[in-house]
Each structure stands twice: as C-alpha cells, then as structure tokens.
C-alpha cells in the first residue's frame, strides 16, 4: 500500500464511497480510519481504528461474490417488499423472540427461509461498523444497501434507529471496491 498521509476517497460520497485516512497515532501502516459513505451519510465508529488487512479481505470477499454472481444478494421472498419490511424480516429472523426456533430450519418470520438469509445479506467488514446493521440486496443491475445505527452512543440522535436505503448501479459499486483494492495493493 502506498504510504500517504492524506485522506483518499474512492467513489462519490453522494451515492457510495470508501474514505481512507491513515492513522497517525499508530506506528504501523496497517491501521487507519475507514468510512463508508452512502447517500452523503457516513458510516463509521469514529473512535475505532481499522486493521486494514482484515478490511481489505472483507472488501475482496464482497467483490468476488458480486463478480461471480451479480444477484448473489438477491432473495426472491423480498421482491415487492419495502425496505422497512425487508429489514424487519431480517432482524426478526435473528431476534431472541425466536429462541424456540432451531437455527438451520425454516423460520416462519422469514417466510420459511432459514437463518442463512440473514447472514447472506449482512455486510460484515470489521469492527468500525459494529454500531450498524448493514444489509446488501441486489439484482442484475443494482445493489441496495439498507442500514440502521443501533448504538445510540455511536451515532447522532437524528440517525439512531432510523432505517436508510441507498441504491447504486452494481457496476459502480464493484468499481469502487476495485479502486480501493488497487490502492491498497499498490
């Protein structure tokens, strides 16, 4: 990775971008601050420094899944449903309320789908996004990101508990991920 002491932005913050700022506190170049931007809204735990090799691996994993199959984050049971309905189905599928339900078996709240649907759509990058539940939904042309901050100590009062959605062309989303990886690997 290039040794830069300035912030780099990959993509357009008004739709989707990854922002990287090297950590000046850390003597190691493997740490920095990473912020996702979705629809002009930053997603980050500002107090958390990111271990870049793990973040890079997670970005590569998401990109590889999209390149292999653009509809990898598609679930037909979500067709025709609003962002709110989809989010509720995903979250209820993992809720403690369903403690009597056995993981790996069809979950009635998920319309007969099993718990793998939650994990299929859940975006897991690193601890800097821990305050957020972020889900990816795709079709052949676009990718929709649903997110909600669930930690009132790490998000603004205007943001806490509110569901957001941002749809971007899947080719654009993939290109931003590729640009970040190219920078990281150079």
């Amino acid at each position: 990775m290039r040794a830069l002491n300035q912030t780099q932005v990959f993509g357009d913050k008004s739709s989707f971008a990854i922002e990287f700022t090297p950590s000046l506190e850390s003597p190691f170049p493997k740490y920095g601050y990473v912020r996702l931007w979705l629809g002009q809204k930053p997603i980050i735990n500002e107090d958390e420094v990111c271990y870049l090799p793990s973040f890079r691996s997670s970005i590569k994993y998401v990109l590889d899944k999209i390149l292999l199959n653009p509809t990898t984050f598609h679930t037909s049971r979500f067709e025709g449903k609003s962002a709110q309905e989809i989010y509720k189905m995903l979250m209820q599928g993992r809720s403690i309320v369903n403690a009597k339900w056995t993981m790996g078996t069809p979950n009635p709240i998920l319309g007969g789908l099993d718990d793998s649907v939650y994990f299929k759509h859940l975006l897991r990058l690193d601890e800097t996004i821990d305050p957020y539940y972020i889900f990816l939904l795709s079709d052949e042309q676009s990718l929709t990101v649903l997110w909600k901050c669930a930690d009132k100590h790490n998000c603004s009062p205007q943001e806490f508990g509110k569901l957001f959605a941002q749809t971007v062309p899947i080719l654009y989303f993939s290109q931003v991920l590729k640009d970040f990886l190219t920078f990281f690997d150079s």
Side-chain angles (χ1 to χ4, degrees):
M1 182 172 67
R2 286 181 238 159
L4 294 176
N5 293 328
Q6 61 188 21
T7 298
Q8 300 289 312
V9 178
F10 308 92
D12 179 356
K13 291 179 182 181
S14 68
S15 59
F16 170 68
I18 300 173
E19 179 180 336
F20 167 71
T21 303
S23 172
L24 301 177
E25 299 88 42
S26 174
F28 306 104
K30 294 182 178 182
Y31 292 88
Y33 296 92
V34 178
R35 178 180 295 194
L36 297 182
W37 287 89
L38 292 159
Q40 227 29 51
K41 293 174 180 47
I43 296 178
I44 188 172
N45 179 350
E46 298 212 12
D47 298 329
E48 196 82 48
V49 69
C50 177
Y51 180 62
L52 296 170
S54 293
F55 187 83
R56 183 221 175 271
S57 294
S58 298
I59 292 291
K60 177 91 169 86
Y61 175 77
V62 171
L63 178 61
D64 288 347
K65 287 186 78 154
I66 291 171
L67 293 176
L68 182 64
N69 178 6
T71 61
T72 195
F73 298 109
H74 178 80
T75 298
S76 60
R77 298 273 174 98
F78 295 158
E79 291 175 8
K81 303 235 184 281
S82 70
Q84 194 74 29
E85 291 170 315
I86 294 168
Y87 185 86
K88 184 178 178 183
M89 286 174 71
L90 288 165
M91 294 307 292
Q92 284 181 336
R94 298 298 303 157
S95 173
I96 195 78
V97 173
N98 296 311
K100 294 180 183 175
W101 163 69
T102 304
M103 288 183 70
T105 63
N107 182 323
I109 291 178
L110 287 174
L113 302 172
D114 65 38
D115 63 307
S116 66
V117 174
Y118 173 88
F119 293 106
K120 170 183 170 180
H121 294 281
L122 182 67
L123 178 63
R124 294 170 282 185
L125 295 177
D126 77 328
E127 63 278 355
T128 62
I129 63 168
D130 279 353
Y132 298 87
Y133 287 105
I134 305 171
F135 297 102
L136 302 177
L137 308 165
S138 66
D139 59 33
E140 291 181 6
Q141 302 297 318
S142 62
L143 185 128
T144 299
V145 183
L146 302 180
W147 75 98
K148 183 185 283 192
C149 185
D151 182 351
K152 65 182 175 184
H153 302 292
N154 285 305
C155 60
S156 70
Q158 302 85 359
E159 181 186 39
F160 176 68
K162 184 176 178 186
L163 180 65
F164 296 95
Q166 180 70 29
T167 301
V168 296
I170 203 157
L171 291 175
Y172 169 76
F173 187 86
S174 299
Q175 189 60 52
V176 170
L177 300 183
K178 286 179 191 175
D179 292 346
F180 175 80
L181 291 171
T182 299
F183 168 80
F184 186 93
D185 293 340
S186 64

